[in-house]
Amino acid sequence: LTVALIQGLAPMVAHLAHRPAWAQVSINASVVLFVLTSLGFAALMHAFVTDNFSVQDVASNSNSHLPLMYKITGMWGGHEGSLYLWVWVLTLFTMVVGVHGRTRYPERLPVILAVQGWLSVGFFGLILFLSNPFERLFPIPMDGRDLNPLLQDPCMAFHPPTLYFGYVGFSVPFAFAMAALITRWKSELWIGLVRRWALIAWGFLTAGIVMGGWWAYYELGWGGYWAWDPVENASFMPWLMGTALIHSI
C-alpha cells in the first residue's frame, strides 16, 4: 500500500516541487509493487497448497482431500483471495506498461502509472482493512470446509482469472485516457497506443465469458447462464463497452 501511494503521488510531488526527475520514481515503484504483491501471492498460494488451515481463507475454501488443481483454485474461490488475485493482475499490467512505455511515451508514462497506482491504493486499502486473505484462525481446525462443489470444475478453475485479466486489462486504456485529460495529450497521439491493450483485455474477457457460459450450460442447464443475473451482466456490460471502444479506435 505504501509503494502504491508513492507510485500515485510521485508525479504530483514532482510537478509541485518543479522537479521533473522525481516523477520517474513511479516507474521504479511499479516494478517494486509487482514484486511485493507477487511475494504475497506466493505466500497465499503456498498456504493453500500445503493445507495451512491456520489461514481463515484456506480453511473456508479448501480441504486436505481436494486435488491439487482445486486447492490452487480455492485461492480465488472466496472473496478475499479473489481480490488479491485482482490486485496481483493489476500490478502485473502496471509493471508491463512501465517497462513498455520507457521508450515509447516517457513524458506521459509517470502520469499513466500514477493513475494505475491510485487504482492499486484503492484495492490494497480494501484488502488490508476490510477483506484480508491473511486473517488467522485460532484454534486451528483439523480440516477445511471444502471448496464449493459447483466450483470444482476445470472451466471454473480458469474462468475467474481469465475474466480478471479482461476486467483489469481495461484499466490500461482508462489510465491512458485519464493521463490524456490531465496533461492535455491530443487523442490522435495516444489512441493508437491503447489499441493492443484494448484487444488483449477484450480477448480475455470474451474467453472468460465463453468459459463461464459453457460451465453454466452443462452444470446448471440451459437457463443457468441466459437468465442474465447480475453476475453475467457484470461481465457482459464491460464486454459491450470494450467492443465499442475497439470499434471507435
Side-chain angles (χ1 to χ4, degrees):
L1 178 61
T2 304
V3 176
L5 277 167
I6 291 168
Q7 183 180 317
L9 285 169
M12 297 165 66
V13 173
H15 178 72
L16 293 172
H18 304 289
R19 297 288 186 95
W22 290 4
Q24 302 302 309
V25 170
S26 62
I27 301 173
N28 297 327
S30 69
V31 177
V32 175
L33 188 61
F34 172 70
V35 171
L36 292 176
T37 308
S38 297
L39 287 172
F41 189 89
L44 190 58
M45 186 64 74
H46 181 265
F48 272 94
V49 171
T50 59
D51 299 324
N52 186 350
F53 299 121
S54 70
V55 179
Q56 186 172 330
D57 196 34
V58 178
S60 299
N61 296 290
S62 183
N63 73 20
S64 56
H65 304 293
L66 278 176
L68 179 61
M69 184 173 83
Y70 296 128
K71 286 181 181 181
I72 294 170
T73 302
M75 181 173 166
W76 47 86
H79 178 68
E80 294 82 4
S82 287
L83 273 177
Y84 201 93
L85 174 64
W86 184 292
V87 81
W88 180 79
V89 174
L90 179 59
T91 61
L92 170 63
F93 275 119
T94 303
M95 184 192 69
V96 173
V97 170
V99 172
H100 184 253
R102 282 177 188 266
T103 54
R104 300 196 67 190
Y105 32 87
E107 289 152 9
R108 265 38 180 239
L109 181 59
V111 182
I112 294 166
L113 293 178
V115 175
Q116 293 282 79
W118 285 111
L119 291 175
S120 298
V121 167
F123 279 99
F124 277 117
L126 182 61
I127 287 167
L128 271 176
F129 303 116
L130 295 173
S131 197
N132 190 344
F134 298 100
E135 287 285 342
R136 306 306 285 267
L137 274 179
F138 189 82
I140 301 170
M142 294 295 292
D143 212 337
R145 277 191 284 182
D146 197 11
L147 179 66
N148 184 333
L150 285 174
L151 303 181
Q152 294 179 34
D153 179 275
C155 259
M156 289 309 284
F158 298 103
H159 162 70
T162 308
L163 272 185
Y164 286 8
F165 271 88
Y167 287 140
V168 180
F170 280 118
S171 71
V172 178
F174 169 76
F176 270 84
M178 291 302 293
L181 290 171
I182 293 166
T183 65
R184 298 180 182 178
W185 197 6
K186 290 185 178 180
S187 58
E188 59 266 26
L189 300 177
W190 67 268
I191 198 70
L193 298 172
V194 303
R195 179 177 176 273
R196 187 175 296 172
W197 289 106
L199 284 169
I200 290 169
W202 183 88
F204 274 113
L205 195 56
T206 302
I209 290 171
V210 169
M211 273 193 277
W214 176 241
W215 167 82
Y217 174 70
Y218 67 72
E219 234 4 285
L220 307 175
W222 176 250
Y225 192 73
W226 303 110
W228 292 113
D229 68 27
V231 174
E232 280 86 53
N233 286 328
S235 60
F236 187 58
M237 294 300 287
W239 185 88
L240 288 175
M241 295 299 290
T243 306
L245 171 65
I246 290 166
H247 275 287
S248 69
I249 293 172

